């Protein structure tokens, strides 16, 4: 029996896929209609309207309608009403907006996916039900007479409007289901890079900071939570976490080997890695969401990072971070070489100066119809934390390995995270001004502290929470997740509203759009992001150690 177990699963999978595809094609194709031809006569000048819906859940028609040209008084005519290939599984015929008599001789629904559906007078009388506004509804030899003494009389089709096409109804679903079963049998989720990289990927330093992947995943989910209405302000705090993570991870190779900053091959390779890490997926999204809509000028300003609308504003910020990091690292290396404490003080001072004085009057970034301030101060807080982490682990390792110290760091880090969430979401009215938008510097320091304490409390509750496998799984694909999630939110809302007459919000929208975004991110990461990451690693310059593994976690806050 064991040998046949996979075959049984494949059979079950085929059956489930077949019936799903059968229902899906029946809705989107067999219930799609190009036009309806109304053969009628009205006793007064008026127009006939056709309301239509998918009918999967909604019992009412919410505004999807088309209107005929006006019928002349007591003059029979066959007028065409365009439905635009929309799904019209459920249909309502409004026989006029004024009281009076209407004679319906026939209704013909024309589809590109099957033969026309023609309703004779007898079909109309049997298949359509009048509303309470219809006073008389009788079948005559060549027409159905509809008489109303009130406004807005209408008839509703009983049952579904579906054309007959055996190929689309049976053959095509069977073919697609069989192909999907065969393909699924050849795939293994266990070997999907987005899964294997959760456990095996390492940064450019050769270290796997799994808990930092978890922080990145948590930040991505918080951004999604804000955009779906689950939280009110924590999404901005999540962005500061992303920026601080970028600073921490991008500077770590220079912390370990300061001489890299003076190596032209390494610095050239650093810029190449950054380009290959961010540009492919980013350009793909700009092409889909802006260029394909015909907004050529806007798209090319985004390609050149001269404009950053919507959630793309963070990408322009990160590109700016990438450009200034070499200058900062070269300055630090020339001044301090391997002296940790002076370098630490230097980066603390640089972060403070950048936050205070690097404003839009110095470096303006444009997006969302406003001039955006570069948030370099938060990025440099992450750099400072990377140097502080190295300093503490090199000079105070024994003290940091004390269980009491680790528990204290874990407790403080968790408490700080909770406080940031409370303040960011304005849960305490008197502190509403102290949120992530109005106090980016303080929240940036908090973000860096949480990152630092997560690493220093390895094995404790904070580290375990941030290193939780589902968070790490999202963290690995977080760049694709971040770029895709607004589009997926719109798709989920539109699909639910169109097919089911339901407009999801809050946690329902969060769970639905989050699941769809993650699944799509798996493939975007595997087939768009990762090939360029691997090619960047293969082209690693002579400034890097040949023994240093460079894998999918080549540093960067949103992009590892």
């Amino acid at each position: 029996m064991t040998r046949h177990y996979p075959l049984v699963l494949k059979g079950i999978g085929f059956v489930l896929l077949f019936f799903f595809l059968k229902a899906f094609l029946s809705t989107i194709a067999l219930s799609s209609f190009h036009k309806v031809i109304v053969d009628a006569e009205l006793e007064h000048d008026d127009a006939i309207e056709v309301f239509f819906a998918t009918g999967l859940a909604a019992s009412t028609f919410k505004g999807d309608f088309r209107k005929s040209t006006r019928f002349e008084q007591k003059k029979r005519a066959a007028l065409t009403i365009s439905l635009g290939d929309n799904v019209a599984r459920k249909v309502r015929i409004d026989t006029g907006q004024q009281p009076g008599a209407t004679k319906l001789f026939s209704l013909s629904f024309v589809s590109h996916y099957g033969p026309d559906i023609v309703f004779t007078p007898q079909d109309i009388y049997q298949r359509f039900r009048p509303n309470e506004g219809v006073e008389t509804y009788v079948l005559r030899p060549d027409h159905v007479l509809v008489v109303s003494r009130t406004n807005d009389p209408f008839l509703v089709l009983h049952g579904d409007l579906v054309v007959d096409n055996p190929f689309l109804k049976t053959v095509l679903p069977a073919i697609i289901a069989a192909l999907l079963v065969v393909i699924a049998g050849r795939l293994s989720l266990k070997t999907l890079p987005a899964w294997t990289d959760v456990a095996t990927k390492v940064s450019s330093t050769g270290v796997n900071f799994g808990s930092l992947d978890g922080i990145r995943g948590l930040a991505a989910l918080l951004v999604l939570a804000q955009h779906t209405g689950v939280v009110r302000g924590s999404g901005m705090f999540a962005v500061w976490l992303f920026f601080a993570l970028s600073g921490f991870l991008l500077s770590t190779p220079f912390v370990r080997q300061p001489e890299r900053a003076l190596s032209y091959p390494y610095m050239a390779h650093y810029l190449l890695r950054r380009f290959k890490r961010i540009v492919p997926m980013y350009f793909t999204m700009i092409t889909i969401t802006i260029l394909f809509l015909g907004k050529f000028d806007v798209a090319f300003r985004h390609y050149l990072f001269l404009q950053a609308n919507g959630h793309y504003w963070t990408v322009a910020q990160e590109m700016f971070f990438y450009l200034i990091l070499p200058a900062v690292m070269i300055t630090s290396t020339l001044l301090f070489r391997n002296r940790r404490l002076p370098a630490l003080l230097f980066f603390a001072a640089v972060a403070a100066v950048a936050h205070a004085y690097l404003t839009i009057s110095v470096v303006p970034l444009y997006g969302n119809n406003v001039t955006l301030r570069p948030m370099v101060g938060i990025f440099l807080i992450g750099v400072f934390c990377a140097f502080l982490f190295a300093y503490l682990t090199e000079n105070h390792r024994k003290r940091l390995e004390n269980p009491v110290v680790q528990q204290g760091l874990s407790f403080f880090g968790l408490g700080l995270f909770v406080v940031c969430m409370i303040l960011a979401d304005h849960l305490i009215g008197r502190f509403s001004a102290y949120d992530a938008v109005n106090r980016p510097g303080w929240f940036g320091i908090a973000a860096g502290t949480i990152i630092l304490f997560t690493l220093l409390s390895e094995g404790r509750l904070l580290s375990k929470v941030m290193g939780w496998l589902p968070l790490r799984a999202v963290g690995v694909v977080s760049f694709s997740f971040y770029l895709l999630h607004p589009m997926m939110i719109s798709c989920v809302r539109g699909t639910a509203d169109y097919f089911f007459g339901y407009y999801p919000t809050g946690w329902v929208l969060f769970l639905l759009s989050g699941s769809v975004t993650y699944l799509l991110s798996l493939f975007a990461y595997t087939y768009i992001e990762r090939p360029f990451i691997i090619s960047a690693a293969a082209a690693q310059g002579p400034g890097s150690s040949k023994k240093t593994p460079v894998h999918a976690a080549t540093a960067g806050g949103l992009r590892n």
Side-chain angles (χ1 to χ4, degrees), residues 203 205 209 247-257 260 386:
S203 71
T205 65
F209 292 132
F248 186 96
L249 291 168
L250 288 173
S251 61
T252 296
F254 300 101
V255 174
R256 294 177 177 272
Q257 293 180 272
R260 285 177 168 180

Side-chain angles (χ1 to χ4, degrees), residues 274-282 315 319 322 479 559:
R274 293 298 89 214
F275 181 87
K276 287 189 173 184
R277 189 65 186 90
I278 190 174
V279 165
M281 187 61 193
Y282 174 70
V315 181
M319 287 300 292
Y322 298 163
F479 186 38
R559 278 151 281 285

Side-chain angles (χ1 to χ4, degrees), residues 232-245:
R232 288 183 290 179
S234 299
M236 187 57 70
F237 172 54
V239 173
W240 303 156
L241 276 172
F242 280 137
F243 290 172
L245 274 170

